[in-house]
Each structure stands twice: as structure tokens, then as C-alpha cells.
Amino acid sequence: MADDLDFLDEYGYPRNDDGGEAGHHRGGGRHAPQVRSSTPLSRVAVVLGLLAVGTAGLWLAYAVAPTKMPAFTAVFADERSGIAAAAFAILSLILGITARLLVPREIRSRSIGSWSIVCFFATLVLIGCTLVVQNLFPNGIIQETVRDEAPSSSVSGMEQGMEQTAGTCVDGWTAIGVSEYPGVSSIKVCKNPRMAFIVFSNASAASLGRGIAEQKIASLLEQYQDNSQTQGDWRILNGKQWMAVAQASQIEALQKKWGGTVGTIG
């Protein structure tokens, strides 16, 4: 009979030495059930939830300032970090709800399972913010200060600078209309040799429009990949409010002249 009542001890119901339930204190007062504020399962859920928030938070921090966290490049440079954070958050939520359901309502604290729910939604918010930052600011919001001596205030100066490193534009530079591209002040393209540059209105417009421009360039190169003139090792050189596109050797020479940061296409 005593074994049958062992569950009373587990949930805080005291019983008499003879196996019967003790309904009153010695003074005649009735024992209140002991409220459980946590269980081993709920504690595991909280640990997983905090791990999810931490992972998502570091992923967001890397997206904001990738150059400030070079040691994390191998871990947070792609979407695997977001997938891991989401998996931890979902597992934490499941364990937290399970832990809450396993404890009877009359002795269950509101805190059981609640923290896993909080961590779940916090992780979703952090992941969402990271995706927004990655789309709007592919190179991060906070960037390392680099040398930038490009004459971005002068279109002719940009043309001459590129010709000095990549060769004379045989057929002349062609201007592309910028009315469809907010924040862009000029786009110039040279067909022979193949090269181009974009000048943005300001640094903020460059941060917003750079990713879109890179995607457009990658799409054009893929579209005309069978054309011998579009084949080769293409690179992008990014400045504060400009970007240049040319073959890798030309971009390396241009970087020595202007400064900036070299990036790949695609």
C-alpha cells in the first residue's frame, strides 16, 4: 500500500508513517501542496532556449559587423547558423510544453515552460532581423575602415582611373539610365575591354543598393555565360559610395590605385 502512494511524496503531499495521507498539521492546519517551479525537463528546455537565442544573436552580430568578427566567419557566414538556432528553439519549445503538461495543474508554477516560449519567439525575432540585414546590407552595416581614393565625385575621373589600370575604352563609355535605380547617381559601361562602374548618391544608398547591383551583375553574367566576352574571373571592387566591375587582374590593379574592398560575383 505504501508503494502505491509514493507519488504523493513526489508531488509534495505528505503522508503519515502508516501510509495514510496526512491531512492536517499537528496544530490542526491543513498542509498546502508544494508548488513546483521547475523540473529537470524544464531546465533542459531553458538551456536549449538560451542556446538558441545565443546562436541567433551571434549570427545577427556577424551580419551587422562581419569584419569585426573574422574568427566567426566559418560558422556564421551562411544560413546554417540560423537553421541551428531555429532547431534549438523548436526543441526547447517542445520540451518546455511537455514539462508543463507532466506536472499537475494544482502544483504547477507558471514559470514551468514559460521561458522556453520566450526564448522561442526571441530567436525568431533575431533570425528575422538577421535576414533583413543580410538582404539590405550584404557587406554588413559596420564595416572596417579601408582606404578610398576613388574620384567618385567626378564621372570623368572614374573613367580615366579605370582606363589607367584596365586599358583604354576603345568604343567609349556608355551611360545607363539611373531613373529606375533609387540612390544611384551614375552607371557607366565599357564594352571593350569589358568593365563598368556605379556611383551612388551617398554611403547609405550604397549600402542599400550594393547587394541589388551585385545580384543584377551575377544574373547578367549567368545569362550570357556562353559569350566569350563575359567569360573569365570577374571581381567587384567596393568603395564607400561606388563599385567597379572588371576582370580580377584589372580589379587588383585598380584596388592598388583607389583602395576599396575586392569581392566575388555570385
Side-chain angles (χ1 to χ4, degrees):
M1 183 66 176
D3 293 339
D4 294 335
L5 298 177
D6 283 344
F7 75 96
L8 294 174
D9 291 331
E10 180 181 356
Y11 294 120
Y13 292 101
R15 53 190 173 91
N16 293 328
D17 293 339
D18 61 358
E21 182 181 353
H24 298 78
H25 291 289
R26 289 185 177 181
R30 186 176 181 83
H31 280 288
Q34 182 179 357
V35 176
R36 303 187 67 179
S37 59
S38 68
T39 67
L41 190 60
S42 69
R43 288 191 286 271
V44 172
V46 171
V47 171
L48 288 173
L50 293 176
L51 184 60
V53 172
T55 302
L58 286 174
W59 193 34
L60 175 58
Y62 181 82
V64 171
T67 58
K68 302 294 184 180
M69 305 172 64
F72 293 90
T73 300
V75 181
F76 296 103
D78 53 38
E79 67 278 359
R80 288 178 296 178
S81 299
I83 295 174
F88 288 139
I90 293 172
L91 184 57
S92 170
L93 181 65
I94 293 173
L95 294 181
I97 294 175
T98 302
R100 187 174 184 83
L101 294 177
L102 289 177
V103 179
R105 181 179 302 176
E106 59 271 13
I107 62 169
R108 182 175 64 205
S109 170
R110 292 183 178 180
S111 63
I112 295 182
S114 299
W115 281 108
S116 62
I117 297 175
V118 172
C119 290
F120 175 79
F121 285 105
T123 302
L124 291 184
V125 171
L126 290 171
I127 290 175
C129 291
T130 303
L131 294 175
V132 171
V133 171
Q134 288 180 336
N135 284 305
L136 296 180
F137 307 95
N139 297 314
I141 298 176
I142 302 175
Q143 301 180 13
E144 186 177 0
T145 303
V146 296
R147 183 173 64 91
D148 187 342
E149 299 178 3
S152 57
S153 59
S154 170
V155 174
S156 61
M158 295 288 289
E159 293 174 354
Q160 293 173 8
M162 292 198 70
E163 288 184 353
Q164 289 172 2
T165 57
T168 302
C169 184
V170 177
D171 300 324
W173 291 87
T174 301
I176 305 298
V178 298
S179 59
E180 298 180 0
Y181 307 102
V184 177
S185 58
S186 62
I187 301 175
K188 283 297 191 75
V189 176
C190 176
K191 295 183 179 181
N192 185 20
R194 293 274 180 176
M195 55 184 176
F197 66 84
I198 301 173
V199 178
F200 299 94
S201 303
N202 49 61
S204 298
S207 297
L208 292 171
R210 200 185 307 277
I212 299 175
E214 291 180 2
Q215 293 175 6
K216 182 65 174 179
I217 294 169
S219 176
L220 289 173
L221 289 176
E222 183 178 359
Q223 182 179 353
Y224 297 100
Q225 59 183 344
D226 295 333
N227 189 325
S228 60
Q229 292 182 322
T230 62
Q231 295 176 358
D233 188 9
W234 293 89
R235 291 287 187 272
I236 293 177
L237 184 62
N238 288 304
K240 293 180 181 178
Q241 61 183 76
W242 57 270
M243 62 185 297
V245 184
Q247 293 286 341
S249 59
Q250 299 168 343
I251 287 295
E252 290 175 2
L254 190 62
Q255 184 188 33
K256 293 178 181 179
K257 181 179 180 63
W258 285 351
T261 303
V262 177
T264 58
I265 298 176

